[in-house]
Amino acid sequence: MFDIVMRISLLILAVSTLMYFYRLVKGPTVPDRVVALDAIGINLIGMTAVISVVLKTNSFLEVILLLGILAFIGTVAFSKFLEKGEIIENDRNQ
Amino acid sequence: MSFLHLAILLPFMAAILIPLFYKQLKHIHTGWFVLVVPVILFVYFFQKIGPVSKGLNDYSTANWIPSLGIQFTVYADGLSLLFALLISGIGALVVLYSIYYLSKEKEELHKFYVYLLLFMGAMLGVVLSDNLVVLYTFWELTSLSSFLLIGYWHTREKSRYGAVKSMLITVFGGLSMLGGIILLYLITGTFSVREMVIQAAVIMEHPLFLAALILFLLGAFTKSAQFPFYIWLPDAMEAPTPVSAYLHSATMVKAGIYLTARFTPVFGLAPEWFWLVGGIGILTLAWGSFNAIKQTDLKAILAFSTVSQLGLIMSLLGAGAAALHFESLDDNLFTVAAVAAIFHLINHATFKGSLFMAAGIIDHETGTRDIRRLGGLMNFMPITFTIALIGAFSMAGIPPFNGFLSKEMFFTGMVNLLEFDLFNADTWGILFPVLAWVGSVFTFIYSMIIVFKPFTGKLQAEKLEKKPHEAPLGMLISPVILASLVILFGIFPNILAASIIEPAAASIYPFLLEDGEKFHVHISHWHGFSPELYMTIGVIVLGAILYATQSKWKRLFKLFPEKLTLNRLYDQSLHGLESGSEKIQKFYMTGFLRNYLGIIFIFTAALTGWALFAQSAFSFKAESNAPIGTYEVVLAVLMTAGVVTILFAKSRLTSIIALGSVGYGVALFFVLFRAPDLALTQLVIETITTALFLLCFYYLPELQKREKLAFKVNNLLISLGVGTVVTLIALSANSQRVSKTISEYFIENSYKEAGGKNMVNVILVDFRGFDTLFEITVLGIAALGIFAMVKLRMSRKEQS
C-alpha cells in the first residue's frame, strides 16, 4: 500500500515535471522558461525525497538540500541576467 | 685499425684542418696544403700494387657496431686498388689544376677544398669497404659532397637546380641500394661482400633475389648516370671545372661501375643481370653519344660523352658476366669483356680528365665554352690544342692512343656475345655489336667536334670576352700528365696488364681461377684481320664522312621533339608531385573544424563498426540485466525530451536551459542508481556550467543567426552512425563480461584497510589517490589557464 502511494506520487511528480518541460520548451518568453526550470528543480527535490523513501536510505538528504540551494541560486542568477544582462558585476565592465 | 683505415680517414681529418690553414695563411693558396693529401695517398696505394698483383690482398677490421654485424672492414684487392689509385692520382692532378683555376682572392677556397676532401675520403671509403652498411654510408657521403660541389657557386640559379637534381636522383638510387643491402642481409645473414660472394649460389635461389638485384642496380645506374637516370649529369656541369673533371668523369660516376663489377660474382649468373647491365649499358652508350652531337656547350658535350662511355663500360660488365657460366679460363671467350671494361675505365679516366681540363682552360682564357663562338684557337693555345687532340682522338678510338685498344677490345667482347647461347643471346645478342658500332660512330663525330670546332677555322675575336692566349704553365701540368698517360698506355698497354688489370679481373671472376692460377692479359695492337678491325675502320670512315657533312644532317636533331626528353619528364613529374600533393592537402586540410570532426567521426564509426562486424562480436544477452523500473523509464523520457529540445531549439538560450535540465536529469539518475556523491557533484557542476554557458552567451557578437541550425543530411548520417555503433558496442560489451568485477575487494576492505565507511571517497583518496592528485592538477591548470587567457589578452590590448 505504502509503496503504491509512493509510486503514484512519483508519477504525479513526473507528469508535472513533463508539463513544466512543455513550458520550458515552448516559452514563449525567457522568464517563463526560468520559472519552469526553477519549478523543475523543486520537483526534483520532491522526486529525490520520494525515491529516498522507496530506497530506504538517508544518503540523499544532502542532495535535497543542495538542490534547494542551487535552484535558488540558479533562479536568482537567471533573473539578474535577464534584468541587467550580466550576473557578476565588475567595475571593469562599466 | 690499419694503414688502410687511416688512408680512408686521412682526407676527413685534413678537411677539418683546411679552414684553419685558409684563415691563418692567407697569402698561400689553400690548394697547396690540400695537394699533400692525395699525393700521400697515391704513393701509399702505388706501393701496394706489388703485393696485390701477387694476390696478397689487404684485409682488416675495426669495430664500429659489432652487435649489429656492422664493422668498419676494409679490403683492398685488385679492383679496389685500381679505383683507389684513380681517386688519389686524379685527385692530386685535379687539386693541382684547381690551384691555378680558382682564384685565391675571389673564391671561398676553404669551402671548396673541404667539400673536395670530403668527397675524396667518401669515395675511397666506397671502394675500399667490405661491409655494405659502411659502403652505403660512404656512398651517401659522395652524394652529399657532390651536391655541395655542384652547388659551389650557390648564388647561381642553375647551380642550385643542378645540385638539387643530382641529389634527388642519386639519393633515390642510394636508398634503393640500401633496400638491396637489407635484402641481401636477410638472405645471407652478413653485410660482408666477400662472404656474399661465397654464398652466391644461396642468393641465386632465394625468392628475394630478383628484388635485391633490381634495387642494387637502381643504385648503380643512378650513380653512374645510366639510361634513364643520366639526366642529372649534364646539369651537374654547372660545377667548377675541376669538380666536373674529378667527380663527373673520373670518380663518382664510376662508383656505380665499381658496384656492378664488385657484385658481378654475386648476381652475374642471373639472366636479368646480363640483360639489364648489358642492355641498359649499350642503350646508354648509343643514346648518350647521339645526344652529345647536338650540344653546343663544350662541357655539355663532355657530359653526354661521359654518359655514353659509362654505358660502354657498363655493357662490357654485363657481357663479362657471361664468362661466369664457364668453369675455367680455358676457351673462355667472355672474360675479354670484363678486361676491356677495366682497361677502358682507366683510359676513360685519363682522357676524359684531360678533356675536361682542356675545356676548363678554354673557358678560363676566352670566357666562353660555346662552340658556336669559339674557333681558330690553335695558334693561340698550341699546348691545349695538343691535349684536346690526344684526348679526343683517344676517345674516338684512333690508334695509337689507348682508346683505340679498349675500343677494339670492346668490339671483341660485343662480337663474342654472338656465340653466347644462353638467355636468347643468340638471337637478340646481335643488338649488342650493332648498337656498339652505331654508338662508336657518334662517338667519333662528337670527338671530332670537340677538337676541331674550337681550335680550327676562323677566330671570332669580337664574340669573345677576353683576348685568347695560352694558359699559365701550372694549369697545363695536370692535363699534360694525363695526356702523356694516354699516349703511354696507348703505346705500352702491357705495363697496366700485369700490375693492375689482372688482379682487378681476378676480383671480378674469383671462381674461375684455380689455386695459384693467375689471369693472363695481353693487350696487343694487332689482332690480324678480325671483324673488330673492320668495325674500327668502318667507324673512322663513316664518322669522318658524317663529320664533314654534318651541316646537312644536323637538322635531324631539330625534328626530335623537345617535349619528349627525359629532362622534361623529370621537371614535369617534379612539378606534378608538388602540385598533386598540394591538391591532396588542400582537399582534406580545409581549415574547418567541422570537416576534421566529420572525418574523425566517420573513421571512428566505420572502423569500430567494421571491427565489430568482422569479428562477429554482436551479442545481446538480457538475462544478466537488472529489471527496468518505472522511474528509470520516466526519467529517460524526460532526458530524451531535453536532448531533443537541444537539437531543435530555435535560440541558444533554449539550448542552454535544456542542457541544464539534461544535467539535472543525469543527477537524478545518479540518485536512482544509488550514487549520492556523484549526484551532489553533478548538481553543483551542472549549475556552474550552465552559468558559464550563459556568460559566454552574453558575450557572443550580435551578428549571428538566431534561426534554426541548417539541416545537413551528412551530419545526420554521421551522428546516427556514431550513435548506433557506440550503442552496439556498449550492449555487446555488457553481455560479454569475461571476469568478475574487483568491487568486492573495496567493499570488504574500505573500512578494514582504510578506516572509512564512504567507499567512493575511500577509493578516491586512498585506494586510487593518484588519479585524484592529477585531477586536482588538471583543475589547477585550467584555473591558471583561464586567468592567464583573460589577463594576458588585456595586457596585450593595452600595449597596442
XYZ file of all heavy atoms in Angstrom, chain A residues 7 10 14 17-18 21 24-25 30 33 37 44 47-48 51 54-55 59-60 62-63 66-67 70 78 81 85 87 92-93, chain B residues 630-631 634 638 642 645 653-654 657 661 664 668 670-672 674-676 679-680 683-684 687 691 694 697-699 791 794:
490
model
N 4.590 5.303 -5.407
C 4.674 5.262 -6.856
C 3.727 6.276 -7.491
O 4.092 6.973 -8.432
C 4.329 3.864 -7.375
C 5.528 2.959 -7.424
C 5.094 1.515 -7.610
N 6.184 0.626 -7.246
C 7.055 0.184 -8.150
N 6.948 0.508 -9.411
N 8.022 -0.604 -7.760
N 5.118 9.685 -7.127
C 6.237 9.869 -8.051
C 5.737 10.102 -9.468
O 6.245 10.956 -10.200
C 7.120 8.617 -7.997
C 8.557 8.842 -8.421
C 9.205 9.879 -7.514
C 9.336 7.541 -8.337
N 6.368 13.270 -11.804
C 6.944 13.140 -13.142
C 6.068 13.823 -14.166
O 6.557 14.548 -15.046
C 7.113 11.659 -13.479
N 6.504 17.409 -13.885
C 7.784 17.823 -14.449
C 7.690 17.885 -15.972
O 8.194 18.812 -16.616
C 8.886 16.833 -14.037
O 8.783 16.593 -12.660
C 10.245 17.356 -14.385
N 7.019 16.882 -16.558
C 6.872 16.873 -18.013
C 6.112 18.116 -18.475
O 6.453 18.727 -19.486
C 6.114 15.632 -18.458
C 6.995 14.424 -18.806
C 6.109 13.257 -19.233
C 7.959 14.782 -19.931
N 8.258 20.881 -18.412
C 9.123 20.782 -19.584
C 8.469 21.405 -20.801
O 9.105 22.085 -21.603
C 9.458 19.309 -19.881
C 10.881 18.984 -19.633
C 11.263 18.161 -18.589
C 11.870 19.519 -20.457
C 12.565 17.887 -18.348
C 13.180 19.226 -20.213
C 13.542 18.408 -19.177
N 8.976 24.877 -20.500
C 10.394 25.158 -20.738
C 10.690 25.220 -22.233
O 11.377 26.113 -22.720
C 11.232 24.060 -20.076
C 12.738 24.212 -20.185
C 13.202 25.293 -19.224
C 13.441 22.907 -19.840
N 10.114 24.291 -22.968
C 10.400 24.235 -24.406
C 9.631 25.323 -25.129
O 10.171 26.033 -25.967
C 10.036 22.836 -24.949
C 10.188 22.806 -26.463
C 10.901 21.778 -24.306
N 11.485 34.214 -22.035
C 12.552 33.605 -21.250
C 12.162 33.482 -19.779
O 12.393 32.440 -19.179
C 13.865 34.387 -21.439
C 14.969 33.769 -20.591
C 14.273 34.382 -22.896
N 10.491 30.336 -19.056
C 11.378 29.171 -19.021
C 12.124 29.109 -17.693
O 12.306 28.036 -17.118
C 12.388 29.259 -20.167
C 11.751 29.109 -21.527
C 12.833 28.831 -22.578
N 12.212 28.551 -23.859
C 12.136 29.410 -24.858
N 12.632 30.633 -24.700
N 11.579 29.075 -25.988
N 12.116 26.148 -15.067
C 13.327 25.470 -14.617
C 13.379 25.420 -13.092
O 13.729 24.379 -12.510
C 14.543 26.209 -15.173
C 15.838 25.406 -15.223
C 15.717 24.273 -16.216
C 16.991 26.310 -15.604
N 12.375 18.123 -8.592
C 13.452 17.161 -8.415
C 13.672 16.880 -6.937
O 13.916 15.737 -6.553
C 14.750 17.699 -9.014
C 14.876 17.625 -10.538
C 16.207 18.215 -10.970
C 14.760 16.190 -11.010
N 11.061 14.482 -5.973
C 11.319 13.153 -6.512
C 12.434 12.467 -5.729
O 12.361 11.275 -5.417
C 11.676 13.243 -7.995
C 10.472 13.507 -8.874
S 10.983 14.070 -10.493
C 10.792 12.577 -11.390
N 13.494 13.257 -5.432
C 14.606 12.655 -4.690
C 14.132 12.164 -3.325
O 14.502 11.078 -2.881
C 15.721 13.696 -4.507
O 15.956 14.338 -5.738
C 16.997 13.042 -4.031
N 12.118 9.037 -3.785
C 12.978 7.912 -4.132
C 13.756 7.440 -2.911
O 13.923 6.244 -2.677
C 13.922 8.319 -5.281
C 13.126 8.453 -6.574
C 15.019 7.276 -5.488
C 13.894 9.069 -7.695
N 11.585 5.267 -1.034
C 11.435 3.964 -1.691
C 12.681 3.114 -1.482
O 12.611 1.918 -1.193
C 11.150 4.161 -3.190
C 11.199 2.829 -3.914
C 9.797 4.809 -3.390
N 13.852 3.772 -1.615
C 15.106 3.019 -1.496
C 15.501 2.777 -0.039
O 16.488 2.098 0.223
C 16.240 3.777 -2.204
C 16.080 3.947 -3.717
C 17.216 4.795 -4.261
C 16.075 2.597 -4.409
N 20.912 8.612 2.453
C 22.122 9.146 1.834
C 21.833 10.347 0.958
O 22.749 11.074 0.600
C 22.793 8.074 1.003
O 23.027 6.937 1.775
N 20.573 10.528 0.576
C 20.296 11.564 -0.419
C 19.766 12.849 0.193
O 19.337 13.728 -0.540
C 19.321 11.036 -1.463
C 19.909 9.926 -2.270
C 19.465 8.625 -2.133
C 20.935 10.179 -3.173
C 20.008 7.611 -2.864
C 21.482 9.147 -3.908
C 21.031 7.868 -3.758
N 21.482 15.163 1.601
C 22.339 16.261 1.159
C 21.945 16.734 -0.232
O 21.961 17.920 -0.540
C 23.811 15.832 1.118
C 24.439 15.589 2.455
C 24.581 14.107 2.727
O 23.676 13.350 2.312
O 25.576 13.709 3.351
N 21.574 15.760 -1.054
C 21.171 16.107 -2.421
C 19.969 17.038 -2.385
O 19.900 18.031 -3.113
C 20.875 14.830 -3.215
C 20.337 15.174 -4.585
C 22.113 13.967 -3.318
N 21.091 20.466 -1.309
C 21.858 21.101 -2.366
C 20.962 21.568 -3.491
O 21.125 22.672 -4.026
C 22.910 20.108 -2.888
C 23.928 20.728 -3.800
C 24.959 21.457 -2.949
C 24.613 19.688 -4.637
N 19.979 20.713 -3.843
C 19.058 21.094 -4.916
C 18.323 22.377 -4.557
O 18.154 23.257 -5.411
C 18.044 19.976 -5.150
C 18.455 18.920 -6.192
C 17.475 17.756 -6.148
C 18.479 19.544 -7.566
N 20.743 25.269 -4.952
C 21.088 25.526 -6.352
C 19.913 26.116 -7.107
O 20.093 27.023 -7.938
C 21.549 24.228 -7.024
C 22.933 23.752 -6.597
C 23.268 22.460 -7.322
C 23.965 24.815 -6.913
N 19.715 33.743 -13.012
C 18.975 33.975 -14.247
C 18.235 35.294 -14.217
O 18.259 36.067 -15.186
C 17.964 32.842 -14.457
C 18.448 31.813 -15.420
C 18.669 30.511 -15.024
C 18.661 32.157 -16.745
C 19.111 29.577 -15.921
C 19.096 31.213 -17.632
C 19.330 29.918 -17.224
N 20.523 38.053 -14.668
C 20.964 38.105 -16.062
C 19.914 38.755 -16.944
O 20.219 39.586 -17.802
C 21.265 36.674 -16.522
C 21.604 36.582 -17.963
C 22.852 37.021 -18.407
C 20.704 36.079 -18.884
C 23.188 36.938 -19.729
C 21.033 36.004 -20.207
C 22.278 36.433 -20.639
N 21.601 41.877 -17.729
C 22.432 41.398 -18.832
C 23.733 40.781 -18.359
O 24.539 40.337 -19.159
N 25.734 38.670 -14.746
C 25.457 38.049 -13.455
C 26.350 38.650 -12.378
O 25.883 39.083 -11.340
C 25.664 36.531 -13.545
C 24.674 35.950 -14.567
C 25.442 35.881 -12.193
C 25.009 34.562 -14.984
N 35.315 46.726 -14.179
C 35.994 46.820 -15.464
C 34.998 46.868 -16.618
O 35.294 47.379 -17.682
C 36.903 45.615 -15.626
C 38.303 46.047 -15.946
C 39.183 44.860 -16.176
N 38.661 43.654 -15.605
C 39.425 42.728 -15.051
N 40.713 42.921 -14.993
N 38.923 41.628 -14.573
N 33.839 46.235 -16.388
C 32.912 46.139 -17.500
C 32.176 47.443 -17.765
O 31.488 47.593 -18.750
C 31.885 45.047 -17.212
C 32.528 43.683 -17.251
O 33.657 43.560 -17.731
N 31.851 42.687 -16.753
N 9.821 1.675 -13.385
C 9.047 2.793 -13.910
C 9.841 4.090 -13.837
O 9.833 4.898 -14.763
C 7.750 3.006 -13.093
O 7.484 1.814 -12.373
C 6.600 3.355 -13.992
N 10.541 4.282 -12.702
C 11.267 5.541 -12.521
C 12.276 5.770 -13.618
O 12.380 6.854 -14.184
C 12.009 5.549 -11.176
C 11.237 4.975 -10.039
C 11.776 3.978 -9.256
C 9.956 5.454 -9.755
C 11.072 3.446 -8.197
C 9.243 4.927 -8.700
C 9.795 3.923 -7.925
O 9.099 3.395 -6.895
N 10.549 6.779 -16.831
C 10.057 8.158 -16.808
C 11.216 9.141 -16.942
O 11.185 10.088 -17.748
C 9.277 8.406 -15.504
C 8.918 9.874 -15.367
C 8.033 7.542 -15.481
N 12.111 11.939 -19.821
C 12.372 13.346 -19.527
C 13.663 13.811 -20.191
O 13.733 14.862 -20.834
C 12.488 13.549 -18.012
C 11.185 13.758 -17.245
C 11.471 13.772 -15.755
C 10.561 15.074 -17.682
N 14.671 16.557 -23.156
C 15.670 17.624 -23.061
C 16.632 17.596 -24.223
O 16.935 18.624 -24.850
N 15.061 18.748 -27.341
C 14.908 20.204 -27.303
C 16.199 20.898 -27.717
O 16.191 21.873 -28.462
C 14.531 20.648 -25.884
O 13.520 19.787 -25.397
C 14.055 22.079 -25.878
N 19.531 30.301 -25.992
C 19.136 30.275 -24.588
C 18.340 29.012 -24.278
O 18.566 28.357 -23.256
C 18.311 31.536 -24.284
C 18.187 31.885 -22.815
C 19.563 32.049 -22.205
C 17.371 33.139 -22.648
N 17.469 28.639 -25.201
C 16.692 27.419 -25.017
C 17.617 26.221 -24.901
O 17.447 25.349 -24.039
C 15.735 27.228 -26.207
O 15.175 28.489 -26.530
C 14.662 26.237 -25.882
N 19.332 26.109 -21.485
C 18.432 25.689 -20.402
C 18.126 24.207 -20.527
O 18.136 23.459 -19.536
C 17.157 26.545 -20.421
C 17.516 27.980 -20.056
C 16.130 26.002 -19.446
C 16.392 28.954 -20.252
N 18.761 21.091 -17.957
C 17.763 20.123 -17.492
C 18.256 18.696 -17.715
O 18.030 17.805 -16.895
C 16.441 20.350 -18.219
O 16.528 19.872 -19.529
N 20.558 17.947 -14.897
C 19.821 17.639 -13.676
C 19.218 16.249 -13.761
O 19.156 15.524 -12.756
C 18.736 18.697 -13.446
C 19.243 19.939 -12.734
C 20.539 20.398 -12.979
C 18.452 20.635 -11.826
C 21.010 21.525 -12.330
C 18.930 21.755 -11.182
C 20.213 22.198 -11.444
O 20.692 23.296 -10.812
N 19.604 13.069 -11.298
C 18.522 12.250 -10.756
C 18.761 10.764 -11.015
O 18.443 9.913 -10.185
C 17.188 12.699 -11.367
C 15.980 12.477 -10.470
C 16.180 13.197 -9.154
C 14.727 12.926 -11.150
N 21.679 9.486 -11.061
C 22.649 9.097 -10.036
C 21.941 8.780 -8.731
O 22.317 7.856 -8.012
C 23.683 10.207 -9.814
C 24.683 10.315 -10.929
C 25.169 11.546 -11.336
C 25.155 9.167 -11.565
C 26.080 11.643 -12.346
C 26.074 9.273 -12.585
C 26.536 10.508 -12.979
N 20.917 9.552 -8.451
C 20.139 9.281 -7.250
C 19.493 7.913 -7.348
O 19.583 7.088 -6.446
C 19.074 10.377 -7.044
C 18.106 9.981 -5.942
C 19.729 11.704 -6.739
N 18.874 7.674 -8.520
C 18.169 6.408 -8.737
C 19.103 5.223 -8.614
O 18.754 4.178 -8.079
C 17.537 6.421 -10.120
C 16.052 6.710 -10.198
C 15.583 6.534 -11.627
C 15.305 5.758 -9.287
N 21.684 5.031 -6.900
C 22.302 4.999 -5.573
C 23.758 5.493 -5.595
O 24.669 4.827 -5.154
C 22.261 3.591 -4.983
C 20.851 3.082 -4.785
C 20.909 1.674 -4.247
N 19.572 1.127 -4.074
C 18.826 0.608 -5.055
N 19.272 0.614 -6.306
N 17.641 0.110 -4.783
N 23.943 6.713 -6.139
C 25.283 7.288 -6.112
C 25.189 8.698 -5.552
O 25.173 9.672 -6.302
C 25.900 7.307 -7.509
N 25.055 8.856 -4.218
C 24.826 10.190 -3.644
C 25.962 11.171 -3.927
O 25.709 12.336 -4.264
C 24.699 9.918 -2.155
C 25.245 8.562 -1.936
C 25.059 7.801 -3.195
N 25.773 12.387 -7.439
C 24.626 13.270 -7.612
C 24.930 14.671 -7.100
O 24.660 15.670 -7.773
C 23.418 12.689 -6.888
N 25.549 14.727 -5.914
C 25.904 16.038 -5.349
C 26.811 16.814 -6.305
O 26.542 17.967 -6.656
C 26.632 15.845 -4.014
C 25.772 15.527 -2.799
C 26.676 15.225 -1.607
C 24.887 16.718 -2.502
N 25.163 17.938 -9.590
C 24.264 19.085 -9.466
C 25.045 20.399 -9.421
O 24.733 21.350 -10.145
C 23.418 18.945 -8.194
C 22.267 17.948 -8.296
C 21.649 17.726 -6.926
C 21.230 18.474 -9.273
N 26.088 20.412 -8.583
C 26.857 21.656 -8.452
C 27.525 22.013 -9.772
O 27.446 23.145 -10.262
C 27.905 21.497 -7.332
C 28.715 22.762 -7.210
C 27.223 21.161 -6.034
N 25.199 23.263 -12.466
C 24.764 24.647 -12.252
C 25.856 25.614 -12.701
O 25.595 26.594 -13.429
C 24.465 24.868 -10.776
O 23.671 23.787 -10.311
C 23.733 26.161 -10.561
N 25.806 28.304 -15.782
C 26.108 29.722 -15.583
C 27.201 30.177 -16.537
O 27.130 31.259 -17.130
C 26.517 29.959 -14.139
N 25.909 30.679 -19.925
C 25.184 31.945 -20.024
C 26.142 33.119 -20.162
O 25.895 34.061 -20.916
C 24.305 32.131 -18.785
C 23.079 31.225 -18.749
C 22.368 31.359 -17.420
C 22.142 31.584 -19.895
N 27.274 33.181 -23.597
C 26.147 33.606 -24.431
C 26.044 35.124 -24.470
O 25.817 35.724 -25.505
C 24.870 32.998 -23.850
C 23.618 33.470 -24.494
C 23.252 32.982 -25.725
C 22.804 34.399 -23.875
C 22.101 33.419 -26.328
C 21.654 34.841 -24.479
C 21.309 34.349 -25.717
N 26.303 35.736 -23.330
C 26.172 37.189 -23.254
C 27.196 37.875 -24.146
O 26.925 38.900 -24.745
C 26.341 37.638 -21.801
C 26.362 39.126 -21.642
C 25.178 39.863 -21.781
C 27.535 39.810 -21.371
C 25.177 41.221 -21.642
C 27.544 41.177 -21.241
C 26.363 41.881 -21.368
O 26.365 43.233 -21.232
N 28.391 37.286 -24.216
C 29.470 37.964 -24.947
C 29.503 37.625 -26.432
O 30.361 38.091 -27.157
C 30.830 37.613 -24.330
C 31.057 38.345 -23.044
C 30.955 37.718 -21.812
C 31.333 39.714 -23.077
C 31.139 38.402 -20.647
C 31.517 40.410 -21.907
C 31.416 39.760 -20.691
O 31.587 40.447 -19.555
N 43.875 37.627 -18.455
C 44.817 38.683 -18.092
C 45.711 39.089 -19.242
O 45.875 40.265 -19.555
C 45.691 38.202 -16.924
C 45.097 38.503 -15.587
C 45.173 39.982 -15.307
C 44.358 40.284 -14.052
N 44.137 41.697 -13.886
N 44.315 41.117 -22.027
C 44.096 42.508 -21.632
C 45.373 43.309 -21.756
O 45.387 44.397 -22.300
C 43.638 42.539 -20.176
C 42.321 41.843 -19.989
S 41.106 43.022 -19.516
C 39.606 42.164 -19.729
